[in-house]
Amino acid sequence: MKKYFNISVILLALTAFTACDDYLDVKPSKSTSLTIETGEQLNALLNSYTTYYLEESPWLINASDDQRCDTEMFEITGSSDCPGYSTTSLSYALWDTDIIPELTDENWKHEYLKIFYANTILEKADKVSGLSSQERDQYKREARFIRAISSWYLAQVYCEPYVPGNENKQGIVLKSSTDFGESVKRATLKQTYDFIEADLQEALKIETPFQKIGTTNRWNSVRANKAAVNGFAARFYLYLNDYEKALNYANAALNAHNQLVDYNTEMKVMDSPTTVTINGKSETIILPYTYEGGANSVNERMMEWKEMTYFRMQEDNNWWMMPSESLLALYDKTYDLRYKYHFIPNYSFINTISTPLMGYVFWWKDRIISGPTTAEMLLTKAECEARLNRVSEAMTTVNKLRAARMDKNAPANVINLSASSAEDAVKKILEERRREMPFVRRFMDIRRLNSNTESYDDVGALTKSFYAFSLTNIDKNSKKTYTLEKNSDKYACPLPKTEFEVSDFVIDQNIYK
């Protein structure tokens, strides 16, 4: 069965661009033809950050060992009060590749929508009026950057890691035009990563500085810039285990921008504590100022976060990131200011659950930075230096980050990490990486660490203990241990079943043994 619908495009005062639906599913029609005739319209499309900034995979948040999933928490919360224990969320948390294809997956659709917009810009840049040749090249490079990021993100979610031996495994559907007749057959992993790398290399020609906008405190993070493209390149090559290239690009990103948010002086709690009433009693919840805003909102403070060089955020549709015991154990609870500001001991009160339970908060209930940041670049640089046996340099690098995250009154030997060997340095830097970027990078890191050539950094199998369940029922009479083996093909999230149907089964599902 084929699905037919139209893409609607609205340009409002040349400042907003919205569209709907997944162009992998669209059949050509007169109404799918976009009328873009001026460079001003293309500029508006590039400025439409709400079109691009959210990453929406529930797989990445729920599937890792950062997210708590156990029967004790379930018994306290009850699935009716806690969306993290709905059968939908459990399907991702417990790697159920049979149930997941039956679920609605907005992530696949929305990332391909971003790619459609990028391809629109690429096709129109040389045809519209009002642009210089330099501007045309700039817009095309920005579009290649958007396409590279979305293609890479899709590969991290729906494909197995790209390591020797996996070259011919299933990649993503490569879309290089707005032609609805273009093939939707999945490429190989090698073809996928070659495609992304070609886009990235074009984007790396962008020289726009990362800087504040006029006299405001906002940064130009919604558009591609030198720090951002080099930051993404550092990430790209780190996940390919090419430590020399990752180090070079991390250095380039830091040379373009190296400011950190100092949690000693620049982080704070909300001016007014949040108060809720539970069982007739008033309860106070102390939240970081980054919580302010609300659902589906983008506020000024997000744009003022000077570490984030490109504005992308991972969404948690549960609205409750529940830190696991293994994650919490990594923090110095006396001196680590990340623990102080981001881990809320009675976050459960927001969900009217009277038992105080921990929640992780960054931006409101549902968003955490996923775009390149100064902190990520320092961690990438430090890890690469350690893996290249430059131990002293690695520890100096990682300690620059810790100086901005640890209480300045902590003893020096608490603030500063030390290492006795390259292996020791890598392990400590990886722990710091998990502390700095929980939930948003952890599952991707598990994939790469379990599949690279070193064994000392392996995370190994993930195990979670929970009840047997189906999409419609949780069986509290049957407890099970769920395991994701180290080299499992289940590190790739299943594609939504709807994609096979609308493509007449040209798109293939991942193969699970």
Side-chain angles (χ1 to χ4, degrees):
M1 179 181 71
K2 287 281 186 179
K3 181 166 66 177
Y4 296 84
F5 51 80
N6 299 326
I7 291 181
S8 63
V9 180
I10 305 171
L11 287 168
L12 297 175
L14 299 178
T15 59
F17 185 99
T18 61
C20 62
D21 298 312
D22 176 0
Y23 89 106
L24 289 184
D25 300 356
V26 180
K27 276 300 215 181
S29 71
K30 291 180 181 179
S31 58
T32 58
S33 178
L34 308 184
T35 304
I36 295 179
E37 299 176 343
T38 69
E40 193 174 9
Q41 289 174 311
L42 285 188
N43 189 53
L45 180 48
L46 284 165
N47 278 334
S48 182
Y49 57 84
T50 55
T51 300
Y52 307 110
Y53 89 101
L54 271 187
E55 298 174 343
E56 302 172 68
S57 171
W59 178 255
L60 294 179
I61 294 288
N62 290 284
S64 86
D65 55 356
D66 280 352
Q67 179 80 345
R68 183 175 175 181
C69 181
D70 56 51
T71 54
E72 180 184 4
M73 179 73 93
F74 175 79
E75 293 300 333
I76 294 172
T77 62
S79 61
S80 60
D81 294 318
C82 181
Y85 287 95
S86 69
T87 54
T88 296
S89 295
L90 287 169
S91 300
Y92 292 106
L94 301 173
W95 321 292
D96 194 312
T97 54
D98 293 323
I99 293 177
I100 291 172
E102 306 293 328
L103 305 175
T104 300
D105 187 345
E106 297 296 318
N107 180 66
W108 173 272
K109 177 173 71 175
H110 289 166
E111 291 304 321
Y112 274 106
L113 192 56
K114 296 171 192 177
I115 291 170
F116 176 81
Y117 296 152
N119 286 334
T120 299
I121 295 165
L122 286 166
E123 291 178 3
K124 298 290 185 179
D126 289 329
K127 300 174 183 177
V128 298
S129 62
L131 291 180
S132 66
S133 60
Q134 183 178 4
E135 287 171 326
R136 293 180 200 278
D137 288 342
Q138 174 73 11
Y139 287 6
K140 286 188 285 187
R141 289 164 185 163
E142 289 192 60
R144 298 282 290 265
F145 187 52
I146 291 168
R147 192 169 69 182
I149 290 178
S150 286
S151 297
W152 183 85
Y153 183 74
L154 286 164
Q156 303 318 299
V157 176
Y158 300 104
C159 305
E160 293 185 50
Y162 184 40
V163 292
N166 281 3
E167 293 89 349
N168 292 320
K169 289 193 174 181
Q170 292 171 309
I172 65 170
V173 176
L174 300 180
K175 299 295 288 185
S176 58
S177 76
T178 60
D179 180 2
F180 296 108
E182 189 177 12
S183 173
V184 292
K185 184 176 175 61
R186 293 177 71 175
T188 66
L189 272 179
K190 183 180 189 309
Q191 291 167 336
T192 295
Y193 278 82
D194 286 349
F195 182 81
I196 297 167
E197 188 170 28
D199 276 349
L200 177 56
Q201 289 304 316
E202 275 300 304
L204 282 164
K205 297 175 183 177
I206 293 171
E207 293 289 335
T208 306
F210 181 65
Q211 58 192 8
K212 285 188 176 180
I213 301 172
T215 58
T216 71
N217 287 322
R218 293 178 57 176
W219 296 79
N220 62 332
S221 58
V222 302
R223 295 287 289 266
N225 58 77
K226 187 170 184 176
V229 294
N230 280 280
F232 178 69
R235 182 188 296 175
F236 178 81
Y237 288 108
L238 178 69
Y239 280 85
L240 291 181
N241 305 313
D242 189 333
Y243 305 122
E244 290 280 6
K245 281 187 178 179
L247 177 58
N248 289 339
Y249 286 115
N251 277 327
L254 290 166
N255 287 337
H257 181 77
N258 62 6
Q259 292 190 41
L260 287 166
V261 174
D262 188 338
Y263 275 43
N264 284 279
T265 57
E266 298 176 90
M267 194 62 178
K268 61 181 181 179
V269 298
M270 289 175 60
D271 293 334
S272 300
T274 297
T275 303
V276 297
T277 300
I278 301 175
N279 296 333
K281 181 181 177 183
S282 179
E283 300 283 1
T284 298
I285 311 167
I286 305 299
L287 293 155
Y289 84 96
T290 53
Y291 180 85
E292 294 177 349
N296 303 316
S297 69
V298 175
N299 60 49
E300 292 288 314
R301 287 171 173 171
M302 293 178 177
M303 307 298 186
E304 293 172 0
W305 193 262
K306 62 186 177 183
E307 293 188 15
M308 179 169 51
T309 57
Y310 194 62
F311 188 50
R312 296 269 300 214
M313 292 198 182
Q314 174 68 47
E315 180 183 46
D316 173 29
N317 56 13
N318 293 329
W319 288 12
W320 188 353
M321 285 174 268
M322 304 180 198
S324 64
E325 291 301 318
S326 64
L327 174 61
L328 291 171
L330 289 173
Y331 291 88
D332 183 313
K333 296 173 179 58
T334 302
Y335 294 115
D336 196 323
L337 298 179
R338 291 166 295 196
Y339 183 82
K340 173 182 177 180
Y341 287 109
H342 294 305
F343 291 86
I344 314 304
N346 56 355
Y347 182 83
S348 51
F349 293 168
I350 290 175
N351 287 42
T352 66
I353 295 170
S354 58
T355 303
L357 298 169
M358 188 77 74
Y360 179 86
V361 170
F362 210 106
W363 297 107
W364 200 59
K365 299 178 181 180
D366 65 340
R367 276 156 288 177
I368 184 170
I369 294 171
S370 60
T373 66
T374 305
E376 182 189 357
M377 292 305 101
L378 287 172
L379 289 163
T380 298
K381 175 179 165 69
E383 182 181 340
C384 293
E385 287 171 334
R387 291 186 185 277
L388 296 170
N389 203 28
R390 293 156 56 175
V391 176
S392 177
E393 294 171 60
M395 305 320 289
T396 297
T397 300
V398 74
N399 287 333
K400 289 178 183 177
L401 173 61
R402 286 179 64 82
R405 298 296 194 256
M406 304 296 287
D407 190 318
K408 64 182 179 181
N409 296 312
N413 65 340
V414 171
I415 296 174
N416 296 311
L417 298 176
S418 60
S420 58
S421 64
E423 180 177 326
D424 186 36
V426 169
K427 289 179 178 178
K428 288 179 176 175
I429 291 163
L430 290 176
E431 288 180 347
E432 189 67 17
R433 184 178 174 90
R434 189 177 176 190
R435 282 188 284 264
E436 179 64 28
M437 300 184 290
F439 300 100
V440 69
R441 287 281 159 261
R442 178 58 176 169
F443 196 69
M444 293 183 184
D445 280 346
I446 293 171
R447 284 163 43 101
R448 74 176 174 95
L449 296 173
N450 274 347
S451 59
N452 65 14
T453 56
E454 293 88 4
S455 59
Y456 66 80
D457 61 0
D458 289 356
V459 177
L462 301 185
T463 60
K464 299 178 184 179
S465 179
F466 200 74
Y467 300 117
F469 75 101
S470 67
L471 190 53
T472 57
N473 182 57
I474 296 174
D475 183 0
K476 296 174 67 174
N477 295 315
S478 178
K479 200 170 182 179
K480 291 179 59 177
T481 297
Y482 296 84
T483 302
L484 180 64
E485 298 292 349
K486 174 185 168 183
N487 295 314
S488 174
D489 43 35
K490 289 187 177 183
Y491 277 102
C493 180
L495 277 63
K497 185 177 70 174
T498 52
E499 296 306 316
F500 316 134
E501 296 171 348
V502 299
S503 72
D504 281 344
F505 298 93
V506 174
I507 297 177
D508 294 325
Q509 181 59 281
N510 292 325
I511 299 169
Y512 300 106
K513 298 185 285 290

